[in-house]
Amino acid sequence: MVHADDLTIEERPIPATRKRAPRAFLLAAGTLLLSAAVVARIGRFGFNPTDQGFVLAQVWRVLHGEIPHVDFLGPRPFGSAYLHLIDHLVPAPLMIGSSFVMMVQLIVATFALAAFLTGTSPLDWGPLRLGLVFAAALVCLNTYPLMAWHTVDGVFLVAIGWWALDSGLRSGSRWRRLLGLFCLGFAIIVKQSFVFAAPIGLLILLFHPAAPPKKWPRLLGDVLVLGAAPLLYFGTVTVAGGLPSAIEQLTGGTQTWGKSLIRFWETDFKGQADPRTYILPVLLAVAVIAVAWSFRERLGEPGRWLRVVMGLCVGAVVVFVVADGGFEHVGSWPITLLWLFVAVALLDAVVRKRLPWQYLSVAALGWMASLSWGYPLPGLLTGILALGVLEAVVPPDLPRVPKLAGGALGATAFVLAGLLLMSAHDKAPYADRPQGELTQDLGDVAPSMRGVRTNPSVHAYVAQLRGCLDHYPASRVAVLPHNSFVAPIFGVRNPFPMDWAIPIEMTGDSPERMVEAAERLDREGDYLVLFQTVDPVSLSEGEPVPRAVTADAPTIGLSSVEGRIKDTLGGARVACGSFAGFWAPAR
């Protein structure tokens, strides 16, 4: 009744072994080529000293033997620091290589979630679905920065985990089932908000339609694999004596529960179109399609055409929401897509005649991804949310789409998504100026940033830092409150236990530990601690950076910790470029 070349949600068997290798090679090559193209055309434009390098700084600490929650602190677990060790293996400058890895993660996650939703193998997809999934990956990127980030890691691991677990159970593949469970456990230690993926994984394991008879030894082994990554992580922290501090750090942050998803219904969209108006017609169309499907034999051909017309209307709404959103980094369009996605879960239930657990799981992942202080939106899932709506409303009894026509439609969707992506990034790269104003290559400041282009103000800022390190040599360097890129880019060690010394990040005993680190520095010497006088927002707006300031110039202070550190350090007061701070040479 259903064909792989169509947009359908029917489960299909895995292709024959002889077809798998060439198709797998083409998919892998396509993923790598698209990732490289996106980095070359989009990812290397724009640099934000505040955010970019945050996860890389944690990787740098791990490479130098530091232990999470013992030697460095934070309100989230540091699983991303281990996952992104791979960034250093990419044969490219570190910043470019890290962007490439992030794009690969996003494409793979989109493929995995599409396969999970549809119960199909990517190796069995026709050109239409392949084109749409690649297009969905570009929509998922929108204007999100191409950089190593814990939320991206969580989405990536959960997507791989659920897909591998589902396909492993359907095919009887033990290694895929175990891989899925391990990835779901790993997701817990990149960010707490993804902890909910593990119990969903357990429910899939226990109640999957293709699950084998329950055997306690096997179930126990599966649970141990699920908990392997968290047990190893927290076991290491415990042995190092950091468990009490870790618990205090991880539980002491400001709680967030996805308020933006609920406030969407309470917001007064004055002066702009109300995105909630798109949801009601989709609900009505879904209801019509569900009724027409339930009575398809009685309604005959007219009922079938009614479902086609309603499906086209829903598809038009989804395309409009994506296009109208303009790939804005912050906007209502990701939330609109999430609620549209939830609405079509009803249709999935009617067609499959069962609980729409795949759709509900992906909706839950959208909620998990929105549990954020800085970006409380399901933006990283927008492409798969849009694709999921289209998958649900396509009539399952639609005739096979010819490969040529399907390929043309898929290619058109991919090209349009790419054009929208380039237009959005050219106008507003993440936290930087429009692309036409990004005239400076940071490669002349540090080899690991070769190829990254930014505006003259950010370039001057980073170049000043390079000059400070040359003029005041020290093995331990910190630039407060948040310039985490300094350590991994310039190859120095941050003597403080935090890379973002901002109030919301300082949970548990973090403030005291920061001051204690300053006291050790003052005793041992060989340090350079700088404080920025330039607001990061002014950098992204391209405002001029002062060529020089005095040693007692006012600096950016986000908490009382900066002042306490200044009072503790007894080194020589120095100033270089727009920075002021303290320097004590090696003794």
Side-chain angles (χ1 to χ4, degrees), residues 278-290:
Y278 307 135
I279 297 175
L280 179 59
V282 167
L283 277 173
L284 292 175
V286 165
V288 171
I289 296 173

Side-chain angles (χ1 to χ4, degrees), residues 72-319:
F72 60 106
L73 319 173
R76 292 168 293 274
F78 293 98
S80 291
Y82 298 93
L83 184 64
H84 283 279
L85 288 169
I86 193 174
D87 292 18
H88 287 267
L89 301 179
V90 178
L94 180 58
M95 275 295 175
I96 294 293
S98 185
S99 296
F100 174 78
V101 170
M102 182 270 192
M103 192 62 209
V104 170
Q105 286 181 286
L106 198 59
I107 294 174
V108 171
T110 305
F111 266 76
L113 288 174
F116 175 68
L117 268 181
T118 61
T120 59
S121 168
L123 301 179
D124 202 24
W125 292 348
L128 174 56
R129 181 175 277 154
L130 280 173
L132 290 176
V133 174
F134 274 118
L138 299 181
V139 177
C140 286
L141 175 60
N142 48 82
T143 46
Y144 201 89
L146 267 83
M147 64 182 183
W149 202 250
H150 38 261
T151 307
V152 178
D153 297 337
V155 170
F156 168 73
L157 290 167
V158 173
I160 294 291
W162 283 345
W163 168 75
L165 178 58
D166 173 47
S167 63
L169 289 170
R170 284 189 293 105
S171 65
S173 172
R174 182 171 177 268
W175 74 266
R176 254 187 283 174
R177 183 184 82 248
L178 296 180
L179 172 65
L181 291 168
F182 179 80
C183 287
L184 292 175
F186 203 139
I188 296 173
I189 63 170
V190 301
K191 193 179 179 185
Q192 302 96 308
S193 58
F194 295 103
V195 69
F196 304 100
I200 293 176
L202 278 176
L203 290 174
I204 294 173
L205 183 67
L206 292 172
F207 301 107
H208 194 281
K214 308 296 183 296
K215 294 183 179 179
W216 286 109
R218 171 178 167 170
L219 184 59
L220 179 60
D222 287 347
V223 172
L224 288 175
V225 172
L226 177 65
L231 287 173
L232 181 60
Y233 180 85
F234 287 105
T236 301
V237 172
T238 302
V239 170
L243 185 60
S245 178
I247 294 174
E248 197 174 0
Q249 292 165 42
L250 298 177
T251 60
T254 303
Q255 300 300 310
T256 178
W257 48 270
K259 298 182 286 292
S260 61
L261 305 184
I262 303 301
R263 288 177 178 170
F264 172 80
W265 298 101
E266 304 169 352
T267 302
D268 186 2
F269 294 93
K270 291 182 178 179
Q272 54 183 312
D274 190 337
R276 293 167 297 197
T277 58
Y278 307 135
I279 297 175
L280 179 59
V282 167
L283 277 173
L284 292 175
V286 165
V288 171
I289 296 173
V291 172
W293 171 260
S294 300
F295 296 95
R296 59 190 179 279
E297 294 182 359
R298 187 177 305 175
L299 295 175
E301 192 66 16
R304 182 183 171 193
W305 279 107
L306 177 62
R307 287 184 276 122
V308 170
V309 171
M310 291 293 100
L312 289 174
C313 291
V314 173
V317 171
V318 170
V319 172

Side-chain angles (χ1 to χ4, degrees), residues 534-549:
V534 176
D535 191 316
V537 175
S538 69
L539 291 175
S540 63
E541 293 177 350
E543 296 180 6
V545 175
R547 290 189 176 184
V549 297

